Amino acid sequence: MQRIVLTLVAAVVTAIGLFWPSFDIDNGSNSTSIDPVVVTDYSSEYTLSRDGGLAATETLTTEFPAGRHGIFRFWDQSDGDTNQTGVRYRPEDIRVTMDGQSVPVQFLSEGAGRFKVAQIGDPDRTVMSGSHQYQISYRVSGTIADG
């Protein structure tokens, strides 16, 4: 009888371990669920100067469901070229608007500093459901490496 109870307990623990990722208990930033905000249009304009400076403007049209606070923009600051170790492309002078109006932006870092993240939106207010346009502009210095 004890063997049956132990086998049953082991089976239940195994089942919980296998199916735990299916439960969306953590609704925080660590959730692996798909973001319900949809980008319906993306356009960008990039200007490269002779000194290697990059000026960028990105325009995103989004479709929001109810209950969302905003969007995230990630910049991979690494070169990716193993011959250029330590090279970082850091976005500067970042400006963001939503529907032509200023919007709160909080900057974070992820991946041991590899990624700069803009958390765009007010954490205390949700965005009205429907279509919204974001414009993100920034500069990056030294984007051209010597041959």
Side-chain angles (χ1 to χ4, degrees), residues 49-68:
S49 62
R50 290 188 185 276
D51 67 357
L54 174 72
T57 301
E58 302 171 346
T59 304
L60 297 88
T61 303
T62 59
E63 191 66 35
F64 270 76
R68 304 306 294 183

Side-chain angles (χ1 to χ4, degrees), residues 23-39:
F23 301 109
D24 188 16
I25 293 173
D26 176 15
N27 289 321
S29 62
N30 292 330
S31 177
T32 58
S33 62
I34 295 173
D35 190 340
V37 176
V38 176
V39 175

Side-chain angles (χ1 to χ4, degrees), residues 11-129:
V12 169
V13 170
T14 301
I16 290 172
L18 286 173
F19 294 107
W20 187 264
S22 300
F23 301 109
D24 188 16
I25 293 173
D26 176 15
N27 289 321
S29 62
N30 292 330
S31 177
T32 58
S33 62
I34 295 173
D35 190 340
V37 176
V38 176
V39 175
T40 58
D41 187 56
Y42 173 86
S43 64
S44 58
E45 182 178 312
Y46 300 104
T47 304
L48 185 62
S49 62
R50 290 188 185 276
D51 67 357
L54 174 72
T57 301
E58 302 171 346
T59 304
L60 297 88
T61 303
T62 59
E63 191 66 35
F64 270 76
R68 304 306 294 183
H69 294 270
I71 62 172
F72 292 89
R73 169 58 165 99
F74 288 73
W75 286 272
D76 186 347
Q77 301 181 111
S78 72
D79 182 323
D81 184 351
T82 56
N83 296 327
Q84 300 286 328
T85 56
V87 173
R88 293 282 189 225
Y89 298 120
R90 301 183 195 286
E92 303 167 324
D93 300 329
I94 300 168
R95 294 182 307 276
V96 182
T97 62
M98 182 183 99
D99 298 332
Q101 304 294 316
S102 64
V103 62
V105 180
Q106 179 181 356
F107 295 101
L108 311 167
S109 179
E110 288 191 12
R114 177 176 175 170
F115 298 97
K116 182 169 190 164
V117 181
Q119 184 177 353
I120 303 167
D122 188 337
D124 297 323
R125 297 180 68 193
T126 57
V127 175
M128 282 182 30
S129 61

